[in-house]
Amino acid sequence: MIELGLEDIEALAVGAWILGTGGGGSPYHALLNLRRLYESGLRIQLISPAELDDDDRVAVVSFQGAPLVLQERLVDSRSCARAVELMQEYLGRTFRAVMGIEVGGGNGMQPLLAAAHLGIPVVDADSMGRAYPEAQMTTFAVGGLSPAPLTSVDPRGNEVVVANVGTWKWMERTSRKICTEFGSIANTCKAPRSGAEVKAWGIRGSTSKAIRLGRAVRQARQHHEDPIEAILRIESGKLLFSGKVVEVDRRTTEGFLRGKATIAAPDASEDKIIIDFQNEWIVAWRGQEPVAMSPDLICVLDSDTGEALGTEIIRYGQRVTIIALPAPPLFLTPRGLEHVGPHAFGYDIPFRSVFVQ
Amino acid sequence: MKRVGIDVGGTNTDAILINDGVVEYSVKVATTPNITDGMIGALKLVAERGGDIRGIDAVMVGTTHFINAVVQRKDLKPVGAIRIGSPATTALPPFCDWPRDLADLILGGVWIVEGGHDYDGRRFMPLDLVAVRSAARQIRDAGLRSVAVTAMFSPLDPQDESTVAEILEQEVPDVRVTSSHRLGRIGLLERENAALLNASLADLADDVIGGFRKAISRLGITAPLFITQNDGTIASAQRAIEFPVFSFASGATNSMRGAAHLSNINKAVVADVGGTTTDFGHLRQGFPREANSVVHVGGVRTFFRMPDVVSIGVGGGTLVDPERLTIGPQSVGFRLTEQALIFGGDRLTLTDIAVAAGILDLGDRSRVARIKSSLVKDVLSLVKSRVEDNIDRIKTEAGDVTLIVVGGGGFLIPEQIEGVAHVVRVANGDCANAVGAAVAQVCGEVDQIFQDVSRTDAILEASSIAKQRAVDAGASTKSLVIVDEEAIPVAYLPGNAMRVRVRIVGDIEAVKNLQLSTA
């Protein structure tokens, strides 16, 4: 168990945004919230999954809803903690620790927000290793773990427990409805996990990975070094392409932001990459040839600052570098690929990792 | 129609007199610490040269004074902050992301009450009127006279902010209220920050714009006074006193608007080459394209409507290092006429290089005769590649663009540039910012979320609201033009939600009427 310093949290905000792979919402408000909590003297501990006993209970938290609504409602750490408390009241037992459903974007900060009030540690793990749009796109769903129960709360004291559902898809549908009624943003505590489940099906080391990434970027910036090179070095990433955004096409369908961004080479070679997105970057193409695809992480970064660029804000003219980071091994099995491989996003192409030549 | 356009910059105050769109007189004087004197000096100079300043229809002034006050932490006043949004939002109270030194100057007190709306217009919570009245009385007792009011989703439904403003007016004598929905978009913290900054500038706005008014009336000018805004439009003096933050970035905007007017080109990239920097911006329908993201003002995060400008350290006074073959970003600035080689100084500047290359005839050419022609060539090609790179950055679509060059250092921009179809240079380009002020228009804007309607209907609806707002601000109905429309789908909201922004501008045909109403 280690105590996280404020520097670690600042780094986590940068790293979580990169692991957001284009989505997940900005961690900015959560960072502000955590700075204030640290100022008031609260501290957060990080434990590795190995430190959990098999029968420990672990709360799994996330925001559900539209990042845009959060721009007005603002993040509130007490609501994050309240979703966990409600789950404890429902189950009649307490949690040993809390973890996040996804390390990418604002949700990467969520377990810290809850933990600060609950006085329990954050587990250094998540179930996506990045950000994904839907509830069944997790290693827990891949592992066939139970999708229920779930608690969903809003700051007005509206609190719902979803006791049972047939499948992960049903959990996605029911909880999404509740979230919509709450104003399209809700704090949720997902199905609790045992220590054994976290060890078997959690993606280990996600939080410390995000911190490491963020720290590398911040240090590179301080020393006027190339932040992208630093990222690739410490995470064994692969540089895919560098160029300029020449076209962005966005539309919403079924509540998701879909579209594609075209990145052209800066020289006269006419080489270009098109990246399809569904909230997050999903498949990168060179002509008819897919060059990278989920579950490999596709990250689009500002070529100068290394800052991640979201699918909602990327625009013409930006100088970007596309990199790939390795997928969590739990997603590379046939079952894993069913949930988050190209087929899960409607592509009729076989998965081929950029890290396997 | 005759107008005077004045740009009060940090170094120079430029004034021009424009008659039916044609620049008749242009002058440049040094900006004075008391900016009113510089303005009077410039106007007197126009009159001395024969300009009939009393026969004009409007005086349009652009000033960087308010943004300088924030950056320099000067003349700011304590503010009461009322936020409507409890029980949400309380974890991140007003001023929570401000630099401490600025918050210490401005934070007069914070009250967060229940109320506000949701993204779809439903009520979030009923407005807690008891808490509002109690806050108003505490504000009165604390001696605060300027208040910023911010409600959750107020750009969609401003009702709660308006109710709170009414209560403040009942309870607090001589109160000045800034309602956040008048200032900005979705993004509560950033909109609130804008409201807080605005409220803190209330007294300064009174003084400065009051000073402008006195200056023009002392010169016998009876024409109404307008202040130019970040977005290239104008506000009446009265409105500018209410919303000083809207004139934060008027300098860059005015030079781009001036470039559009002087060249008669509406779609182009503009390069404003000064002594220290070159600003590149993109004109779309005659207006600068706005930055789409966060803008920090004096360390405070906001979503102001500011032009999207890229600045590089290339200007007439930029220093050249002949050993390492680098340029800038250091510059001799306004000391060019003492320190550049051609003026007898000992610093090698880009102006010296231009004289050596024969593209500029200035100062004593013999003093640069010994500069190697290979160095001249290398430096100019360095400038060229910097220019090309940044033009490419500011472009909004593929293909060659037109480049309009304004500003005193325009000679640094070559004729042949990669990605540029042709380079346009204009007469009076060195006072483009004052011209931009003189030709500013009025604007109406909408930024709202629409659901369950087609994209076309949403834009139509937004346009009709924006039109009404433009007319309310003084635009003539027949001159209205849509300059910007954008519909962005919003992820995770049901009902095919999209956020629509529409901006409409028009000429201030009703100057005479406005004069009556603002006098």
Side-chain angles (χ1 to χ4, degrees), chain A residues 26 28-30 32-33 35-36 39 65-69 71-78 132-134 154-157 176 180-184 244 246 250-253 255-257 279-280 304 312-313 315-319, chain B residues 83 87-93 96-97 100 118-119 122-125 151-155 185-191 289 291-292 301 303 308 389 392-393 395-399 449 488-494 496-497 499:
Chain A
S26 159
Y28 179 68
H29 286 167
L32 284 181
N33 201 160
R35 279 184 193 154
R36 291 178 61 80
E39 237 169 69
L68 184 94
V69 176
Q71 292 298 306
E72 289 286 318
R73 287 262 189 110
L74 308 184
V75 165
D76 190 334
S77 51
R78 283 159 310 184
Y132 272 129
E134 292 183 55
D154 92 347
R156 291 165 289 196
R176 179 87 45 200
T180 305
E181 280 308 302
F182 283 175
S184 280
K244 171 178 148 175
V246 293
R250 291 188 187 88
R251 61 193 186 280
T252 37
T253 46
F256 297 111
L257 184 69
N279 290 356
E280 285 82 32
D304 295 328
E312 282 191 274
I313 58 162
R315 65 175 168 80
Y316 180 95
Q318 283 173 321
R319 303 309 167 95
Chain B
R83 184 194 286 171
T89 81
T90 55
L92 301 179
C96 69
D97 62 345
R100 187 148 291 165
D118 263 335
Y119 74 91
R122 283 187 298 172
R123 237 191 197 294
F124 176 67
M125 287 290 278
M152 188 192 293
F153 277 113
S154 65
R185 304 171 179 170
I186 288 161
L188 184 126
L189 281 186
E190 293 77 8
R191 191 173 68 248
R289 188 186 67 203
N292 210 0
R301 193 179 149 101
F303 285 153
D308 193 5
D389 191 43
D392 198 43
R393 268 168 201 271
K395 271 188 194 178
T396 49
E397 56 200 34
I449 292 174
I488 308 169
V490 183
Y492 292 122
L493 285 182
N496 202 19
R499 175 174 173 180

Side-chain angles (χ1 to χ4, degrees), chain B residues 357-373:
Chain B
I359 54 178
L360 180 68
D361 185 14
L362 193 69
D364 180 357
R365 194 168 174 182
S366 68
R367 290 184 50 86
V368 291
R370 274 185 301 166
I371 298 176
K372 281 200 198 104
S373 64

Side-chain angles (χ1 to χ4, degrees), chain B residues 115-307:
Chain B
H117 287 82
D118 263 335
Y119 74 91
D120 55 3
R122 283 187 298 172
R123 237 191 197 294
F124 176 67
M125 287 290 278
L127 181 60
D128 184 347
L129 291 167
V130 175
V132 172
R133 202 160 289 276
S134 148
R137 288 177 183 161
Q138 289 173 47
I139 283 169
R140 180 190 61 205
D141 296 345
L144 296 166
R145 290 295 172 270
S146 194
V147 184
V149 181
T150 311
M152 188 192 293
F153 277 113
S154 65
L156 271 50
D157 191 334
Q159 188 190 331
D160 286 358
E161 287 184 0
S162 306
T163 307
V164 171
E166 278 166 31
I167 292 172
L168 282 165
E169 273 151 21
Q170 292 161 12
E171 297 287 342
V172 188
D174 303 322
V175 71
R176 295 278 295 271
V177 181
T178 299
S179 295
S180 82
H181 74 272
R182 306 286 303 275
L183 291 173
R185 304 171 179 170
I186 288 161
L188 184 126
L189 281 186
E190 293 77 8
R191 191 173 68 248
E192 179 176 71
N193 286 347
L196 292 167
L197 285 176
N198 192 71
S200 77
L201 288 165
D203 280 359
L204 186 64
D206 268 343
D207 290 351
V208 167
I209 296 168
F212 290 162
R213 273 180 168 160
K214 279 192 207 114
I216 64 170
S217 82
R218 207 182 306 163
L219 293 169
I221 300 171
T222 54
L225 170 68
F226 295 96
I227 308 297
T228 67
Q229 311 276 288
N230 301 335
D231 63 358
T233 63
I234 48 150
S236 67
Q238 192 51 50
R239 197 180 137 81
I241 286 174
E242 263 182 81
F243 300 111
V245 291
F246 280 156
S247 51
F248 271 170
S250 58
T253 305
N254 285 342
S255 75
M256 291 181 65
R257 291 274 302 144
H261 180 83
L262 292 169
S263 65
N264 212 13
I265 296 169
N266 275 339
K267 190 174 180 228
V269 170
V270 176
D272 183 359
V273 193
T276 305
T277 59
T278 297
D279 293 341
F280 295 93
H282 201 279
L283 276 175
R284 210 161 48 173
Q285 307 207 40
F287 281 80
R289 188 186 67 203
E290 286 174 18
N292 210 0
S293 53
V294 171
V295 177
H296 284 91
V297 177
V300 179
R301 193 179 149 101
T302 68
F303 285 153
F304 281 121
R305 299 174 300 180
M306 301 272 221

Side-chain angles (χ1 to χ4, degrees), chain A residues 2-273:
Chain A
I2 57 156
E3 183 175 294
L4 294 177
L6 197 52
E7 272 302 303
D8 297 321
I9 290 170
E10 300 278 342
L12 175 62
V14 175
W17 195 213
I18 294 170
L19 292 175
T21 58
S26 159
Y28 179 68
H29 286 167
L31 176 62
L32 284 181
N33 201 160
L34 285 165
R35 279 184 193 154
R36 291 178 61 80
L37 295 172
Y38 262 61
E39 237 169 69
S40 76
L42 291 172
R43 290 294 177 271
I44 297 159
Q45 316 292 323
L46 187 70
I47 60 168
S48 87
E51 292 173 72
L52 294 170
D53 288 336
D54 281 356
D55 55 358
D56 279 340
R57 303 309 287 180
V58 176
V60 184
V61 295
S62 79
F63 282 110
Q64 189 176 18
L68 184 94
V69 176
L70 220 45
Q71 292 298 306
E72 289 286 318
R73 287 262 189 110
L74 308 184
V75 165
D76 190 334
S77 51
R78 283 159 310 184
S79 282
C80 308
R82 179 60 206 150
V84 178
E85 287 164 1
L86 178 63
M87 185 63 88
Q88 291 185 147
E89 290 162 18
Y90 174 69
L91 295 174
R93 55 187 293 188
T94 55
F95 288 110
R96 163 80 174 87
V98 57
M99 67 180 283
I101 194 89
E102 62 181 341
V103 72
N107 266 334
M109 317 287 277
Q110 173 94 353
L112 282 74
L113 294 168
H117 294 287
L118 296 166
I120 54 177
V122 170
V123 185
D124 187 4
D126 79 322
S127 67
M128 293 183 178
R130 50 173 294 164
Y132 272 129
E134 292 183 55
Q136 76 282 1
M137 295 176 165
T138 64
T139 47
F140 294 152
V142 172
L145 309 184
S146 159
L150 169 142
T151 60
S152 185
V153 306
D154 92 347
R156 291 165 289 196
N158 298 309
E159 304 187 335
V160 177
V161 178
V162 179
N164 280 302
V165 287
T167 61
W168 284 94
K169 277 272 188 196
W170 272 109
M171 180 54 90
E172 168 69 26
R173 291 173 65 174
T174 11
S175 62
R176 179 87 45 200
K177 262 286 192 280
I178 297 162
C179 167
T180 305
E181 280 308 302
F182 283 175
S184 280
I185 195 77
N187 283 103
T188 61
C189 180
K190 315 276 185 197
R193 304 273 72 113
S194 69
E197 286 174 330
V198 173
K199 282 183 255 185
W201 292 103
I203 298 170
R204 297 182 186 209
S206 312
T207 306
S208 50
K209 178 179 183 171
I211 292 172
R212 215 159 49 232
L213 270 174
R215 198 183 287 142
V217 170
R218 283 160 60 85
Q219 283 176 356
R221 279 184 206 154
Q222 265 164 22
H223 300 119
H224 304 289
E225 290 158 6
D226 180 358
I228 293 172
E229 193 191 303
I231 293 169
L232 296 171
R233 193 174 57 236
I234 61 156
E235 292 304 329
S236 315
K238 195 161 178 177
L239 179 77
L240 297 180
F241 199 72
S242 254
K244 171 178 148 175
V245 181
V246 293
E247 199 181 339
V248 182
D249 172 29
R250 291 188 187 88
R251 61 193 186 280
T252 37
T253 46
E254 298 142 42
F256 297 111
L257 184 69
R258 292 171 204 260
K260 58 184 182 184
T262 308
I263 324 288
D267 53 37
S269 67
E270 292 190 8
D271 190 11
K272 63 183 182 189
I273 296 273

